[in-house]
Amino acid sequence: MSYGRNSITNEIRKRPFIRPLIFWLAGTLLQICFPLQAISMILPAVAVIFTGISFFISKRALPGSFTYNTRWVWGVVFAFLLIFLSIQRTSLAEQQLGHKAAPGFLLIKAGEMQEAMVNKLDRLDLSDEKKAVLATMTVNYRKNMTRDMSRRFSVVGLSHLLAVSGFHVGIISAFIGLILSFMPKRIAFFHYLKYLLLMLFIWMFTYTTGLATAAVRAAVMISIYLTGRMLKRRPDKYNTLAGAAFCMLVYNPLYLFDIGFQLSYLAVFFILYLQPRLSRLAEIRNPLLATPWNTLTVTVSAQVGTLFLCFYYFKQSSLLFLFTNLFLSLLATILIPATLMWMLIPSRTPGLECLGSAVEIMTNGLMRVVERFSSIPGAILSVRFDLFTVTGSYTALGLGLLYMQTRRYRMLLAAFAVLFLILCRTLATSFLAQV
């Protein structure tokens, strides 16, 4: 598929959330790098003056054409106002950064709900360490999680299971959707009822996790998607991702510098972009083989997207993710909703003991795999990236992906040029360090 000269502009026009996201990011970065809170006050005035001049000129040149032929004026005004609001909101967030506010009523109640659900795990025949893993995987309750156990999951490439994120919200939404699939599809009342119930359960789960950043991001994305489907639209996946990012950054612009925020959005973007291309490398029609293959391609896509950022923040990445993610991700897909059901169902319900036994068996199996794989020597690849290297690496990766899509050799040459600059800088830094 080849793109024309204006392809990037056309792609952005198709996705209305991308433009406000770009302007909002610009305002946030301007405020962080060059504090402009006072100076930015001139932006609304400039927007008003610019609108007035444009209106006057259009009226003189071509009466009655201001609304359509000069619609770009509204785009400029919109950009100025959005950058102004972003700068002011970022400045306010910076001022609040040093003041640690007491948790609000909602978060306090969420914590109490977490405690009540986690206490039910005491009835399971599991060690405290395994109960801590279950509590972390299901409701993001991390108080009992040890550093050693977190390290083991990191070694085998399963850290995402211990951080409630889009993976968990996706499992819950799919599980609830499966339960509600019995509703008639052609009756409008049940169509809206299913939508409301899905939204209710998704946000209840997100609330139970303590409104974890990654869980909120996933819940916003799924909410936008479900709303589009309910309105009989075809939501664009990239527009949905941009809309979720925009909503979260409006709420708190400093989320942009949160590690979890960066990792989750990079992982989702690369899953959306790269996974369909990887899955087409092998055409598998057998559903028993297609599910593991799709899980594998999702894992590889997310790993490619977050690899350089892991080298920058954590200085390491797992080499075992291909061997562990396929089986354990499928196991977690069953274990997480099963554990939540066991927590929520009253204790005297018939069949609850069988469900508890299944949860124990799956938890023991998961922990057995983690313990054995985490003891393999050399399972971690240690690489140190600085800001220049990580920025250059993602630039080269982006140019490489553009070459694969457009087949323009200029993109490939540019990618190699960026890699050459990174190599030269690395060699120069090593030489100066030895001197």
Side-chain angles (χ1 to χ4, degrees), residues 81-104:
L81 293 178
L82 203 56
I83 291 174
F84 165 73
L85 292 173
S86 176
I87 291 174
Q88 297 297 319
R89 181 66 187 91
T90 304
S91 175
L92 179 63
E94 289 180 312
Q95 295 173 15
Q96 296 173 343
L97 192 60
H99 305 284
K100 194 170 183 180

Short mmCIF file of all heavy atoms in Angstrom, two decimals, residues 81-104:
data_model
loop_
_atom_site.label_atom_id
_atom_site.label_comp_id
_atom_site.label_asym_id
_atom_site.label_seq_id
_atom_site.Cartn_x
_atom_site.Cartn_y
_atom_site.Cartn_z
N LEU A 81 -5.99 28.08 21.33
CA LEU A 81 -6.72 27.94 22.59
C LEU A 81 -6.38 26.64 23.30
O LEU A 81 -6.24 26.61 24.53
CB LEU A 81 -8.22 28.00 22.32
CG LEU A 81 -8.76 29.35 21.82
CD1 LEU A 81 -10.25 29.27 21.55
CD2 LEU A 81 -8.47 30.46 22.83
N LEU A 82 -6.19 25.56 22.55
CA LEU A 82 -5.88 24.28 23.17
C LEU A 82 -4.47 24.29 23.77
O LEU A 82 -4.26 23.75 24.86
CB LEU A 82 -6.02 23.16 22.14
CG LEU A 82 -6.27 21.75 22.70
CD1 LEU A 82 -7.52 21.75 23.58
CD2 LEU A 82 -6.44 20.75 21.57
N ILE A 83 -3.52 24.89 23.07
CA ILE A 83 -2.16 25.00 23.62
C ILE A 83 -2.18 25.86 24.88
O ILE A 83 -1.51 25.54 25.87
CB ILE A 83 -1.21 25.58 22.56
CG1 ILE A 83 -1.00 24.57 21.43
CG2 ILE A 83 0.15 25.94 23.19
CD1 ILE A 83 -0.20 25.11 20.27
N PHE A 84 -2.96 26.94 24.86
CA PHE A 84 -3.08 27.80 26.05
C PHE A 84 -3.64 27.01 27.23
O PHE A 84 -3.10 27.06 28.35
CB PHE A 84 -3.98 28.99 25.72
CG PHE A 84 -4.48 29.72 26.93
CD1 PHE A 84 -3.64 30.54 27.68
CD2 PHE A 84 -5.80 29.59 27.35
CE1 PHE A 84 -4.09 31.21 28.80
CE2 PHE A 84 -6.27 30.26 28.47
CZ PHE A 84 -5.41 31.07 29.20
N LEU A 85 -4.72 26.28 27.00
CA LEU A 85 -5.32 25.50 28.08
C LEU A 85 -4.37 24.42 28.59
O LEU A 85 -4.30 24.15 29.79
CB LEU A 85 -6.63 24.86 27.59
CG LEU A 85 -7.78 25.82 27.31
CD1 LEU A 85 -8.95 25.07 26.69
CD2 LEU A 85 -8.22 26.53 28.59
N SER A 86 -3.61 23.82 27.67
CA SER A 86 -2.66 22.78 28.07
C SER A 86 -1.55 23.36 28.95
O SER A 86 -1.17 22.76 29.96
CB SER A 86 -2.06 22.12 26.83
OG SER A 86 -1.07 21.18 27.18
N ILE A 87 -1.04 24.52 28.57
CA ILE A 87 0.01 25.17 29.38
C ILE A 87 -0.52 25.50 30.76
O ILE A 87 0.15 25.24 31.79
CB ILE A 87 0.52 26.43 28.66
CG1 ILE A 87 1.31 26.05 27.40
CG2 ILE A 87 1.39 27.27 29.59
CD1 ILE A 87 1.72 27.23 26.55
N GLN A 88 -1.72 26.06 30.84
CA GLN A 88 -2.29 26.43 32.13
C GLN A 88 -2.57 25.19 32.99
O GLN A 88 -2.29 25.19 34.20
CB GLN A 88 -3.58 27.23 31.92
CG GLN A 88 -3.39 28.55 31.22
CD GLN A 88 -2.52 29.51 32.03
OE1 GLN A 88 -2.64 29.60 33.25
NE2 GLN A 88 -1.62 30.21 31.35
N ARG A 89 -3.10 24.13 32.36
CA ARG A 89 -3.40 22.90 33.12
C ARG A 89 -2.13 22.23 33.60
O ARG A 89 -2.08 21.72 34.73
CB ARG A 89 -4.21 21.94 32.23
CG ARG A 89 -4.59 20.64 32.94
CD ARG A 89 -5.56 20.91 34.07
NE ARG A 89 -5.82 19.71 34.85
CZ ARG A 89 -5.14 19.34 35.92
NH1 ARG A 89 -4.13 20.11 36.36
NH2 ARG A 89 -5.45 18.25 36.58
N THR A 90 -1.08 22.24 32.79
CA THR A 90 0.19 21.64 33.18
C THR A 90 0.82 22.43 34.32
O THR A 90 1.37 21.85 35.26
CB THR A 90 1.16 21.59 31.99
OG1 THR A 90 0.54 20.88 30.91
CG2 THR A 90 2.45 20.88 32.37
N SER A 91 0.72 23.75 34.24
CA SER A 91 1.25 24.58 35.32
C SER A 91 0.54 24.30 36.64
O SER A 91 1.17 24.20 37.70
CB SER A 91 1.10 26.06 34.94
OG SER A 91 1.48 26.90 36.01
N LEU A 92 -0.79 24.14 36.57
CA LEU A 92 -1.55 23.82 37.79
C LEU A 92 -1.15 22.46 38.33
O LEU A 92 -1.01 22.29 39.56
CB LEU A 92 -3.05 23.85 37.46
CG LEU A 92 -3.99 23.51 38.62
CD1 LEU A 92 -3.84 24.53 39.74
CD2 LEU A 92 -5.44 23.47 38.12
N ALA A 93 -0.94 21.48 37.44
CA ALA A 93 -0.52 20.15 37.88
C ALA A 93 0.86 20.20 38.52
O ALA A 93 1.13 19.49 39.50
CB ALA A 93 -0.52 19.19 36.70
N GLU A 94 1.76 21.04 38.00
CA GLU A 94 3.09 21.19 38.60
C GLU A 94 3.00 21.79 39.99
O GLU A 94 3.75 21.39 40.90
CB GLU A 94 3.97 22.06 37.71
CG GLU A 94 4.40 21.40 36.42
CD GLU A 94 5.26 22.30 35.57
OE1 GLU A 94 4.87 23.48 35.36
OE2 GLU A 94 6.32 21.86 35.10
N GLN A 95 2.10 22.76 40.18
CA GLN A 95 1.95 23.38 41.50
C GLN A 95 1.40 22.39 42.52
O GLN A 95 1.75 22.44 43.70
CB GLN A 95 1.02 24.58 41.39
CG GLN A 95 1.58 25.72 40.53
CD GLN A 95 0.57 26.82 40.30
OE1 GLN A 95 -0.47 26.89 40.97
NE2 GLN A 95 0.83 27.68 39.33
N GLN A 96 0.55 21.48 42.05
CA GLN A 96 -0.05 20.50 42.96
C GLN A 96 0.87 19.31 43.22
O GLN A 96 0.58 18.51 44.09
CB GLN A 96 -1.37 19.99 42.37
CG GLN A 96 -2.43 21.07 42.24
CD GLN A 96 -3.67 20.58 41.51
OE1 GLN A 96 -3.62 19.56 40.83
NE2 GLN A 96 -4.77 21.30 41.64
N LEU A 97 1.97 19.23 42.46
CA LEU A 97 2.84 18.07 42.55
C LEU A 97 3.47 17.95 43.93
O LEU A 97 3.61 16.84 44.47
CB LEU A 97 3.94 18.17 41.48
CG LEU A 97 4.78 16.91 41.23
CD1 LEU A 97 3.89 15.76 40.79
CD2 LEU A 97 5.85 17.17 40.19
N GLY A 98 3.86 19.05 44.52
CA GLY A 98 4.52 19.00 45.83
C GLY A 98 3.57 18.84 46.99
O GLY A 98 4.00 18.56 48.11
N HIS A 99 2.28 19.01 46.74
CA HIS A 99 1.29 18.90 47.81
C HIS A 99 0.58 17.56 47.69
O HIS A 99 -0.21 17.36 46.76
CB HIS A 99 0.28 20.05 47.74
CG HIS A 99 0.93 21.40 47.74
ND1 HIS A 99 1.44 21.98 48.89
CD2 HIS A 99 1.17 22.26 46.73
CE1 HIS A 99 1.95 23.16 48.59
NE2 HIS A 99 1.81 23.36 47.29
N LYS A 100 0.87 16.67 48.58
CA LYS A 100 0.26 15.34 48.54
C LYS A 100 -1.10 15.40 49.22
O LYS A 100 -1.22 15.47 50.44
CB LYS A 100 1.17 14.33 49.26
CG LYS A 100 0.77 12.89 48.98
CD LYS A 100 1.82 11.94 49.51
CE LYS A 100 1.45 10.50 49.14
NZ LYS A 100 2.47 9.55 49.64
N ALA A 101 -2.13 15.41 48.39
CA ALA A 101 -3.49 15.52 48.91
C ALA A 101 -3.94 14.18 49.50
O ALA A 101 -3.51 13.11 49.08
CB ALA A 101 -4.45 15.95 47.80
N ALA A 102 -4.81 14.29 50.48
CA ALA A 102 -5.38 13.08 51.09
C ALA A 102 -6.28 12.38 50.07
O ALA A 102 -6.91 13.03 49.23
CB ALA A 102 -6.18 13.46 52.32
N PRO A 103 -6.32 11.05 50.10
CA PRO A 103 -7.18 10.34 49.14
C PRO A 103 -8.64 10.73 49.31
O PRO A 103 -9.13 10.91 50.42
CB PRO A 103 -6.94 8.86 49.50
CG PRO A 103 -6.38 8.87 50.88
CD PRO A 103 -5.62 10.15 51.01
N GLY A 104 -9.33 10.87 48.19
CA GLY A 104 -10.72 11.26 48.21
C GLY A 104 -11.63 10.14 48.68
O GLY A 104 -11.21 9.01 48.94
#
